[in-house]
Amino acid sequence: MVSAGDGANRIGLTMTSAVAEELMRHARRELPNEACALLSGSLAQGSATSVHPARNAEASPLRYNVDPEDLIRITYAIEDAGEDLVAIFHSHTHTPAVPSATDRRAAQYPDVFYVLATLADPSLPAASALRAWRIHGGQSFEVPLAVE
Amino acid sequence: MSRVRIPPVLRESVGGAREIEAAGDTVSALLDDLFGRYPALAERVTDDGELSHFINVYVNDRDVRYREGLSTPVAADDTVILLPAMAGGAR
């Protein structure tokens, strides 16, 4: 497993355009609220290959909390499939795809990527609306995101 | 003893175990037993000695927030899971 640290902060995330489009569809479908999902694949390769949409228990335009029942179900489904949790996704409905103070404070998964989408500009293509980050120690570090 | 499933994100703090056993007839008592034996786990999931607000606790796959919180009873054949929440938001 990739551990959090200066080196890990430089490792980027790769996803297919199909995965990126699925994330954006999920984000738009959940409007006016923030959307959330888990991404699985290979953490060692920094590759997200599957999207697992989750309910936002907050049902809020400003907050997300992956529904606890969805969280446990998806976490073990990913492990049972022999995959890794690679990234945690959520949308910002009116602000940039940059972790907020709330995002940084609440982040509990230092070893995975955080993928954010902005819906502030509906004309943005998925590859531009999505950004990838590491969050640990209350700080966020942007990492390269390749949509292939 | 009850079964405690450890998700991948917390395994490093219990020496890599996927499951461990713990004793206690409530979630609170069970966590006391667990944290006494796995101090690294306690450090990972507590703030100022209290279970972090960002840690979900499940008994038989049900979040104890929707039951009796840390006072939720735990039976010997129950399965307990600790799982950090995924939360945040624009504000």
Side-chain angles (χ1 to χ4, degrees), chain A residues 35-52:
Chain A
C36 51
L38 282 65
L39 280 72
S40 64
S42 167
L43 188 57
Q45 295 175 18
S47 170
T49 50
S50 298
V51 179
H52 306 265

Side-chain angles (χ1 to χ4, degrees), chain A residues 43-120:
Chain A
L43 188 57
Q45 295 175 18
S47 170
T49 50
S50 298
V51 179
H52 306 265
R55 292 171 290 180
N56 178 1
E58 297 279 347
S60 161
L62 298 173
R63 293 287 182 106
Y64 81 96
N65 184 6
V66 172
D67 177 89
E69 311 288 335
D70 287 355
L71 177 57
I72 194 171
R73 175 180 56 78
I74 296 169
T75 294
Y76 280 102
I78 289 171
E79 178 161 56
D80 290 346
E83 297 188 335
D84 303 317
L85 171 66
V86 174
I88 299 163
F89 166 79
H90 77 280
S91 60
H92 284 175
T93 58
H94 293 92
T95 54
V98 176
S100 67
T102 304
D103 290 330
R104 295 194 303 273
R105 189 172 58 248
Q108 296 290 312
Y109 289 77
D111 292 331
V112 307
F113 297 91
Y114 284 79
V115 174
L116 277 71
T118 179
L119 298 178

